[in-house]
Amino acid sequence: MSSAKNPSAEAAVLRANATFYRAFTRGDFPVMSALWAQHAPVTCFHPGSTLIRGRQNVLSAWRQIIAEPAPFEMRCDHATVQLYGSTALVTCYEGNGEQAAHLAATNVFVLESGEWRMVHHQAGPLARPLSAATLAASSLN
Amino acid sequence: MSSAKNPSAEAAVLRANATFYRAFTRGDFPVMSALWAQHAPVTCFHPGSTLIRGRQNVLSAWRQIIAEPAPFEMRCDHATVQLYGSTALVTCYEGNGEQAAHLAATNVFVLESGEWRMVHHQAGPLARPLSAATLAASSLN
Protein backbone atom coordinates (compact mmCIF):
# COMPACT_ATOMS: atom_id res chain seq x y z
CA MET A 1 0.00 0.00 0.00
CA SER A 2 1.71 3.15 -1.23
CA SER A 3 1.55 6.33 0.78
CA ALA A 4 3.53 8.37 -1.75
CA LYS A 5 2.35 11.92 -2.27
CA ASN A 6 0.36 12.54 -5.41
CA PRO A 7 -0.50 16.26 -5.52
CA SER A 8 -2.77 16.05 -8.56
CA ALA A 9 -4.81 13.19 -7.06
CA GLU A 10 -5.00 15.01 -3.72
CA ALA A 11 -6.25 18.15 -5.49
CA ALA A 12 -8.87 16.11 -7.36
CA VAL A 13 -10.07 14.54 -4.06
CA LEU A 14 -10.30 17.98 -2.44
CA ARG A 15 -12.37 19.19 -5.40
CA ALA A 16 -14.75 16.23 -4.93
CA ASN A 17 -14.93 17.00 -1.21
CA ALA A 18 -15.71 20.66 -1.96
CA THR A 19 -18.41 19.54 -4.41
CA PHE A 20 -20.04 17.57 -1.56
CA TYR A 21 -20.31 20.64 0.69
CA ARG A 22 -21.41 22.87 -2.19
CA ALA A 23 -24.21 20.44 -3.13
CA PHE A 24 -25.21 20.30 0.55
CA THR A 25 -25.27 24.12 0.80
CA ARG A 26 -27.21 24.59 -2.43
CA GLY A 27 -29.58 21.66 -1.97
CA ASP A 28 -28.38 20.38 -5.34
CA PHE A 29 -29.57 16.78 -5.39
CA PRO A 30 -28.38 15.90 -8.95
CA VAL A 31 -24.84 16.94 -8.03
CA MET A 32 -25.05 15.12 -4.69
CA SER A 33 -26.32 12.00 -6.46
CA ALA A 34 -23.58 12.12 -9.09
CA LEU A 35 -20.95 12.51 -6.38
CA TRP A 36 -21.76 9.21 -4.62
CA ALA A 37 -20.31 6.01 -6.10
CA GLN A 38 -22.45 4.20 -8.64
CA HIS A 39 -20.95 0.73 -8.21
CA ALA A 40 -18.81 0.63 -5.04
CA PRO A 41 -20.74 0.03 -1.78
CA VAL A 42 -21.72 3.19 0.11
CA THR A 43 -22.63 3.96 3.73
CA CYS A 44 -23.32 7.07 5.81
CA PHE A 45 -23.41 7.97 9.52
CA HIS A 46 -25.24 11.26 10.05
CA PRO A 47 -24.56 12.85 13.47
CA GLY A 48 -26.14 10.76 16.23
CA SER A 49 -27.74 8.34 13.77
CA THR A 50 -27.37 4.69 12.93
CA LEU A 51 -25.78 3.52 9.70
CA ILE A 52 -27.47 4.06 6.35
CA ARG A 53 -26.36 1.44 3.84
CA GLY A 54 -26.63 1.30 0.08
CA ARG A 55 -26.75 3.98 -2.61
CA GLN A 56 -30.55 4.20 -2.74
CA ASN A 57 -30.96 4.56 1.03
CA VAL A 58 -28.04 6.97 1.42
CA LEU A 59 -29.31 9.22 -1.37
CA SER A 60 -32.89 9.05 -0.15
CA ALA A 61 -31.69 10.43 3.20
CA TRP A 62 -29.66 13.16 1.48
CA ARG A 63 -32.66 14.08 -0.67
CA GLN A 64 -34.66 14.73 2.52
CA ILE A 65 -31.82 16.57 4.26
CA ILE A 66 -31.16 18.96 1.38
CA ALA A 67 -34.79 19.35 0.24
CA GLU A 68 -34.67 22.82 1.74
CA PRO A 69 -31.27 24.35 0.93
CA ALA A 70 -29.50 25.51 4.09
CA PRO A 71 -29.83 29.26 4.70
CA PHE A 72 -26.06 29.32 5.22
CA GLU A 73 -22.94 27.78 3.74
CA MET A 74 -22.14 24.25 4.95
CA ARG A 75 -18.51 25.02 5.56
CA CYS A 76 -15.68 22.49 5.52
CA ASP A 77 -12.61 23.72 7.42
CA HIS A 78 -9.11 22.29 7.23
CA ALA A 79 -9.83 19.48 4.79
CA THR A 80 -6.83 17.18 4.48
CA VAL A 81 -6.36 14.11 2.29
CA GLN A 82 -4.74 10.74 2.83
CA LEU A 83 -4.34 8.66 -0.32
CA TYR A 84 -4.31 4.86 -0.29
CA GLY A 85 -4.01 3.90 -3.94
CA SER A 86 -7.42 4.46 -5.50
CA THR A 87 -9.09 5.17 -2.13
CA ALA A 88 -8.87 8.55 -0.39
CA LEU A 89 -9.74 9.65 3.12
CA VAL A 90 -10.62 13.28 3.83
CA THR A 91 -10.86 14.61 7.37
CA CYS A 92 -12.30 18.04 8.11
CA TYR A 93 -14.42 20.14 10.45
CA GLU A 94 -17.94 21.22 9.50
CA GLY A 95 -19.53 24.53 10.40
CA ASN A 96 -22.59 26.56 9.43
CA GLY A 97 -21.98 29.93 7.79
CA GLU A 98 -19.81 32.12 9.99
CA GLN A 99 -20.22 29.96 13.08
CA ALA A 100 -17.36 27.97 14.58
CA ALA A 101 -17.11 24.40 13.32
CA HIS A 102 -19.16 22.04 15.49
CA LEU A 103 -18.63 18.66 13.77
CA ALA A 104 -15.66 16.45 12.91
CA ALA A 105 -16.05 14.57 9.64
CA THR A 106 -14.54 11.64 7.78
CA ASN A 107 -15.27 11.46 4.04
CA VAL A 108 -14.09 8.47 2.02
CA PHE A 109 -13.77 8.51 -1.78
CA VAL A 110 -12.84 5.90 -4.38
CA LEU A 111 -11.71 6.32 -7.95
CA GLU A 112 -14.58 5.08 -10.11
CA SER A 113 -14.72 5.61 -13.90
CA GLY A 114 -11.89 8.10 -13.54
CA GLU A 115 -13.72 10.23 -10.97
CA TRP A 116 -13.34 10.46 -7.20
CA ARG A 117 -16.72 9.42 -5.84
CA MET A 118 -17.91 9.31 -2.24
CA VAL A 119 -18.45 5.96 -0.53
CA HIS A 120 -18.71 6.94 3.14
CA HIS A 121 -19.42 9.95 5.36
CA GLN A 122 -19.38 10.18 9.14
CA ALA A 123 -19.90 13.40 11.04
CA GLY A 124 -19.93 13.67 14.82
CA PRO A 125 -20.00 16.54 17.32
CA LEU A 126 -16.89 18.28 18.61
CA ALA A 127 -16.80 18.74 22.38
CA ARG A 128 -15.99 22.43 21.81
CA PRO A 129 -16.77 24.41 18.65
CA LEU A 130 -13.61 25.18 16.71
CA SER A 131 -13.31 28.72 15.40
CA ALA A 132 -11.19 29.71 12.43
CA ALA A 133 -9.01 31.67 14.86
CA THR A 134 -8.48 28.57 17.02
CA LEU A 135 -7.61 26.55 13.93
CA ALA A 136 -5.18 29.21 12.70
CA ALA A 137 -3.48 29.41 16.10
CA SER A 138 -3.22 25.67 16.61
CA SER A 139 -0.91 23.05 15.22
CA LEU A 140 -3.88 21.79 13.22
CA ASN A 141 -3.27 24.39 10.56
CA MET B 1 -12.63 0.22 -8.23
CA SER B 2 -13.93 -3.27 -7.67
CA SER B 3 -16.66 -3.92 -5.16
CA ALA B 4 -16.66 -7.68 -5.68
CA LYS B 5 -17.16 -9.77 -2.58
CA ASN B 6 -14.06 -11.37 -1.15
CA PRO B 7 -15.09 -13.42 1.89
CA SER B 8 -11.57 -14.32 2.98
CA ALA B 9 -10.41 -10.69 2.85
CA GLU B 10 -13.56 -9.57 4.69
CA ALA B 11 -12.92 -12.16 7.39
CA ALA B 12 -9.31 -10.99 7.74
CA VAL B 13 -10.47 -7.37 8.09
CA LEU B 14 -13.00 -8.37 10.75
CA ARG B 15 -10.24 -10.19 12.64
CA ALA B 16 -8.10 -7.03 12.54
CA ASN B 17 -11.09 -5.00 13.74
CA ALA B 18 -11.67 -7.47 16.59
CA THR B 19 -7.98 -7.22 17.49
CA PHE B 20 -8.41 -3.44 17.86
CA TYR B 21 -11.24 -3.79 20.39
CA ARG B 22 -9.46 -6.62 22.23
CA ALA B 23 -6.28 -4.52 22.58
CA PHE B 24 -8.44 -1.60 23.77
CA THR B 25 -10.20 -3.82 26.36
CA ARG B 26 -6.99 -5.41 27.62
CA GLY B 27 -4.86 -2.26 27.53
CA ASP B 28 -2.45 -4.16 25.31
CA PHE B 29 -0.27 -1.44 23.84
CA PRO B 30 2.11 -3.69 21.84
CA VAL B 31 -0.84 -5.25 20.03
CA MET B 32 -2.45 -1.83 19.50
CA SER B 33 0.84 -0.48 18.15
CA ALA B 34 1.32 -3.43 15.78
CA LEU B 35 -2.22 -3.02 14.49
CA TRP B 36 -1.72 0.54 13.21
CA ALA B 37 -0.02 0.99 9.83
CA GLN B 38 3.75 1.38 9.84
CA HIS B 39 4.08 3.22 6.53
CA ALA B 40 0.67 4.43 5.35
CA PRO B 41 -0.49 7.76 6.89
CA VAL B 42 -2.72 7.42 9.98
CA THR B 43 -5.26 9.67 11.70
CA CYS B 44 -7.76 9.38 14.55
CA PHE B 45 -10.84 11.26 15.77
CA HIS B 46 -11.67 10.31 19.35
CA PRO B 47 -15.23 11.25 20.39
CA GLY B 48 -15.57 15.03 20.63
CA SER B 49 -11.89 15.62 19.87
CA THR B 50 -9.92 17.23 17.07
CA LEU B 51 -7.86 15.18 14.65
CA ILE B 52 -4.73 13.36 15.74
CA ARG B 53 -2.35 12.91 12.83
CA GLY B 54 0.67 10.65 12.38
CA ARG B 55 1.59 7.26 13.80
CA GLN B 56 3.57 8.64 16.75
CA ASN B 57 0.83 11.04 17.87
CA VAL B 58 -1.99 8.54 17.33
CA LEU B 59 -0.21 5.85 19.32
CA SER B 60 0.82 8.25 22.05
CA ALA B 61 -2.87 9.06 22.57
CA TRP B 62 -3.80 5.37 22.57
CA ARG B 63 -1.03 4.66 25.09
CA GLN B 64 -2.63 7.15 27.47
CA ILE B 65 -6.18 5.94 26.82
CA ILE B 66 -5.38 2.28 27.46
CA ALA B 67 -2.83 2.84 30.23
CA GLU B 68 -5.47 1.59 32.65
CA PRO B 69 -7.26 -1.33 30.99
CA ALA B 70 -11.03 -0.76 30.89
CA PRO B 71 -12.89 -2.58 33.68
CA PHE B 72 -15.27 -3.87 31.00
CA GLU B 73 -15.13 -5.19 27.47
CA MET B 74 -14.95 -2.52 24.74
CA ARG B 75 -17.62 -4.14 22.65
CA CYS B 76 -18.01 -3.75 18.88
CA ASP B 77 -21.54 -4.58 17.69
CA HIS B 78 -22.63 -5.27 14.14
CA ALA B 79 -19.25 -4.79 12.47
CA THR B 80 -19.61 -4.82 8.70
CA VAL B 81 -16.94 -4.51 6.01
CA GLN B 82 -16.76 -2.71 2.69
CA LEU B 83 -13.77 -3.64 0.57
CA TYR B 84 -12.20 -1.23 -1.93
CA GLY B 85 -9.23 -3.13 -3.33
CA SER B 86 -6.54 -3.07 -0.66
CA THR B 87 -8.46 -0.61 1.54
CA ALA B 88 -11.29 -1.70 3.84
CA LEU B 89 -13.91 0.26 5.74
CA VAL B 90 -15.51 -1.19 8.87
CA THR B 91 -18.57 0.39 10.45
CA CYS B 92 -19.81 -0.69 13.87
CA TYR B 93 -21.34 0.42 17.16
CA GLU B 94 -19.25 0.59 20.32
CA GLY B 95 -20.48 -0.25 23.81
CA ASN B 96 -19.03 -0.86 27.26
CA GLY B 97 -19.53 -4.29 28.76
CA GLU B 98 -23.22 -5.17 28.91
CA GLN B 99 -24.39 -1.61 28.27
CA ALA B 100 -26.17 -0.59 25.08
CA ALA B 101 -23.84 0.74 22.37
CA HIS B 102 -23.40 4.50 22.68
CA LEU B 103 -20.98 5.28 19.83
CA ALA B 104 -20.96 4.87 16.05
CA ALA B 105 -17.53 4.07 14.62
CA THR B 106 -15.70 4.08 11.30
CA ASN B 107 -12.48 2.06 11.18
CA VAL B 108 -10.33 2.12 8.03
CA PHE B 109 -7.70 -0.52 7.26
CA VAL B 110 -5.15 -0.96 4.47
CA LEU B 111 -3.27 -4.03 3.35
CA GLU B 112 0.35 -3.46 4.35
CA SER B 113 3.02 -6.18 4.23
CA GLY B 114 0.23 -8.72 3.80
CA GLU B 115 -1.63 -7.61 6.95
CA TRP B 116 -4.72 -5.46 7.38
CA ARG B 117 -3.54 -2.50 9.42
CA MET B 118 -5.54 0.42 10.78
CA VAL B 119 -5.11 3.85 9.24
CA HIS B 120 -8.11 5.76 10.64
CA HIS B 121 -10.65 5.60 13.46
CA GLN B 122 -13.58 7.91 14.15
CA ALA B 123 -16.08 7.35 16.93
CA GLY B 124 -18.99 9.66 17.69
CA PRO B 125 -22.01 9.51 20.00
CA LEU B 126 -25.32 7.95 19.02
CA ALA B 127 -28.36 10.08 19.81
CA ARG B 128 -29.91 7.05 21.54
CA PRO B 129 -27.98 4.07 22.94
CA LEU B 130 -28.52 0.99 20.80
CA SER B 131 -29.21 -2.22 22.69
CA ALA B 132 -28.52 -5.68 21.31
CA ALA B 133 -32.29 -6.22 21.34
CA THR B 134 -32.85 -3.10 19.25
CA LEU B 135 -30.18 -4.20 16.82
CA ALA B 136 -31.65 -7.68 16.56
CA ALA B 137 -35.15 -6.32 15.95
CA SER B 138 -34.10 -3.73 13.40
CA SER B 139 -33.16 -3.93 9.76
CA LEU B 140 -29.59 -3.21 10.83
CA ASN B 141 -29.05 -6.84 11.69
Side-chain angles (χ1 to χ4, degrees):
Chain A
M1 172 58 58
S2 167
S3 60
K5 290 283 182 188
N6 183 337
S8 66
E10 290 186 9
V13 172
L14 287 175
R15 283 196 298 274
N17 191 66
T19 297
F20 170 70
Y21 289 98
R22 199 162 50 240
F24 197 159
T25 296
R26 295 179 180 172
D28 191 334
F29 184 75
V31 168
M32 182 64 91
S33 178
L35 183 69
W36 284 81
Q38 305 282 333
H39 307 292
V42 302
T43 43
C44 190
F45 275 131
H46 291 292
S49 298
T50 54
L51 189 70
I52 305 173
R53 176 182 300 281
R55 179 176 165 82
Q56 190 173 348
N57 295 330
V58 166
L59 284 170
S60 174
W62 278 114
R63 187 189 285 277
Q64 290 178 42
I65 289 169
I66 67 176
E68 294 291 327
F72 40 70
E73 180 192 6
M74 294 301 301
R75 211 180 62 247
C76 168
D77 294 343
H78 200 65
T80 55
V81 185
Q82 294 166 219
L83 274 181
Y84 307 103
S86 53
T87 305
L89 184 79
V90 176
T91 54
C92 62
Y93 304 102
E94 298 178 353
N96 300 342
E98 297 300 310
Q99 294 179 36
H102 64 291
L103 297 168
T106 295
N107 298 325
V108 185
F109 297 83
V110 299
L111 201 53
E112 194 182 72
S113 304
E115 294 182 352
W116 289 98
R117 293 186 182 152
M118 206 163 206
V119 291
H120 182 68
H121 169 74
Q122 176 170 6
L126 288 163
R128 281 182 297 278
L130 198 60
S131 69
T134 304
L135 263 175
S138 78
S139 61
L140 295 167
N141 218 14
Chain B
M1 173 58 60
S2 167
S3 60
K5 290 283 182 188
N6 183 337
S8 67
E10 291 187 7
V13 171
L14 287 175
R15 283 197 298 275
N17 191 66
T19 297
F20 170 71
Y21 288 99
R22 199 163 49 241
F24 196 159
T25 296
R26 296 179 181 172
D28 191 334
F29 184 74
V31 168
M32 182 63 91
S33 178
L35 183 69
W36 284 81
Q38 305 282 333
H39 306 293
V42 302
T43 43
C44 190
F45 274 130
H46 292 292
S49 299
T50 55
L51 190 70
I52 305 173
R53 176 181 300 282
R55 180 176 164 81
Q56 190 172 347
N57 294 331
V58 167
L59 284 170
S60 173
W62 278 113
R63 187 189 285 276
Q64 290 177 43
I65 289 169
I66 67 176
E68 294 291 329
F72 41 71
E73 179 192 7
M74 294 301 301
R75 212 180 62 247
C76 168
D77 293 344
H78 201 64
T80 56
V81 185
Q82 294 165 219
L83 274 180
Y84 307 103
S86 53
T87 305
L89 183 79
V90 176
T91 54
C92 62
Y93 303 102
E94 299 178 353
N96 300 342
E98 297 299 311
Q99 294 179 36
H102 64 293
L103 296 168
T106 296
N107 298 324
V108 185
F109 297 84
V110 300
L111 202 51
E112 194 182 72
S113 304
E115 293 182 353
W116 288 99
R117 293 186 182 152
M118 207 164 205
V119 290
H120 182 67
H121 168 74
Q122 176 170 6
L126 288 163
R128 282 182 296 279
L130 198 59
S131 70
T134 304
L135 263 175
S138 77
S139 60
L140 295 168
N141 217 13

